[in-house]
Amino acid sequence: MKNYHTHTKRCYHAIGNEEDYILNAIKGGYTELGFSDHTPWRYDSSYHATMRMEEDKLLDYVNTLRQLKEKYKGQINIKIGLECEYFPKYMPWLQQTIKDYKLDYIILGNHYDESDEYGIYFGGELTKQQLNKYIDLCIEGLNTGLYSYLAHPDLAYYDKDIHYYKTQMKRLCQAALDTDTPLEFNLLGYKYHRHYPSKVFFELAKEMGNKVIIGSDAHDPLVLSDMQTYNKAKAYLENLGIELTEEIRFFQ
């Protein structure tokens, strides 16, 4: 069993240190745990984000995980990554950061339009135009080939016209197929009854033939030893006839 969506207190809205997550993952029966805390960005402006890791914490994040990877070798395999948006103008910085820190992978969590400096949050109630923009940016991100999977693909909330929603989300599912990118079933949203995971979306993903990966989106170490929620979600997806995967692309 594998999970690649794990946060730490460095992002300011999660609790627990890296070792807490590892110990709970071992308890839960995971054989591989990927850390993907919210990426810092090097902004052009003086904007200061309060829901992501700061750039000066990145080196310690990576070094801490490398030490723990060695400490728990033989018990669990640790992968080091980040959860990143697709911010077009900042992608050169992100690509260089991936190389400089020798990251194993990144996942696409497209929370904001273009940049959180000025862009709307995509998890709120969207207009048709905003839904289209979310999908367009996700597709552009997938086409870079950098992202190992798409986290909470159904984060974008639009329920005024289900036919329109499905027509547009079909574009996203097709792009995931074209790039062989799994779509995440998000356990955080599932456990706390958020608007995602969306039944409509995952029925569409089944119809399209997309691969789906379960992501804990752990902001609390105890999530990784909560097998009741994991097993319930897995059974739900299997009953839908979804093709589940735990395999993702790595840089190295």
Side-chain angles (χ1 to χ4, degrees), residues 205-221:
K206 163 62 173 68
E207 181 183 315
M208 295 286 292
N210 290 100
K211 294 178 184 177
V212 171
I213 186 167
I214 296 175
S216 291
D217 198 357
H219 288 72
D220 180 332

Side-chain angles (χ1 to χ4, degrees), residues 36-250:
S36 50
D37 213 354
H38 292 282
T39 188
W41 290 101
R42 187 174 294 174
Y43 299 107
D44 288 344
S45 70
S46 60
Y47 176 78
H48 182 261
T50 58
M51 48 64 67
R52 61 175 78 252
M53 192 191 320
E54 294 174 332
E55 189 177 357
D56 63 5
K57 304 293 192 300
L58 185 54
L59 179 59
D60 189 57
Y61 168 76
V62 171
N63 286 342
T64 297
L65 288 174
R66 285 186 179 140
Q67 291 166 9
L68 291 168
K69 178 183 177 77
E70 188 61 30
K71 179 176 179 179
Y72 289 96
K73 190 175 182 179
Q75 296 183 64
I76 191 169
N77 190 32
I78 303 299
K79 295 291 188 181
I80 305 172
L82 293 168
E83 180 181 6
C84 310
E85 289 81 7
Y86 174 69
F87 291 163
K89 74 174 181 176
Y90 293 138
M91 292 307 291
W93 176 86
L94 179 60
Q95 290 173 296
Q96 190 60 49
T97 297
I98 291 166
K99 292 177 183 177
D100 289 346
Y101 290 90
K102 297 180 172 58
L103 298 180
D104 295 313
Y105 73 106
I106 61 171
I107 61 176
L108 176 57
N110 224 27
H111 303 92
Y112 295 95
D113 183 2
E114 302 271 348
S115 171
D116 47 346
E117 296 163 279
Y118 46 74
I120 65 159
Y121 173 60
F122 281 129
E125 196 165 339
L126 304 182
T127 65
K128 285 183 176 181
Q129 183 180 19
Q130 290 165 342
L131 175 66
N132 290 344
K133 186 64 177 300
Y134 170 78
I135 294 168
D136 289 343
L137 285 172
C138 284
I139 291 172
E140 286 181 35
L142 295 179
N143 286 337
T144 66
L146 288 173
Y147 300 91
S148 295
Y149 78 71
L150 177 55
H152 40 63
D154 44 352
L155 173 74
Y157 182 53
Y158 181 83
D159 66 351
K160 297 179 184 67
D161 182 339
I162 296 303
H163 176 73
Y164 186 84
Y165 174 83
K166 289 177 69 174
T167 299
Q168 297 307 310
M169 281 299 192
K170 188 173 182 179
R171 297 195 293 120
L172 181 55
C173 289
Q174 186 60 56
L177 284 170
D178 292 344
T179 57
D180 194 26
T181 306
L183 303 173
E184 180 195 72
F185 186 88
N186 187 274
L187 285 190
L188 180 65
Y190 183 67
K191 182 172 183 176
Y192 292 106
H193 307 288
R194 296 181 176 179
H195 66 271
Y196 62 92
S198 160
K199 185 172 186 290
V200 172
F201 179 85
F202 281 96
E203 286 176 345
L204 177 63
K206 163 62 173 68
E207 181 183 315
M208 295 286 292
N210 290 100
K211 294 178 184 177
V212 171
I213 186 167
I214 296 175
S216 291
D217 198 357
H219 288 72
D220 180 332
L222 294 178
V223 169
L224 294 170
S225 53
D226 176 11
M227 288 301 100
Q228 183 177 359
T229 300
Y230 178 91
N231 290 331
K232 184 180 176 183
K234 186 178 180 184
Y236 169 77
L237 291 167
E238 288 173 345
N239 287 337
L240 275 182
I242 292 282
E243 181 184 352
L244 290 175
T245 186
E246 290 188 318
E247 302 307 311
I248 67 170
R249 295 186 296 266
F250 297 109

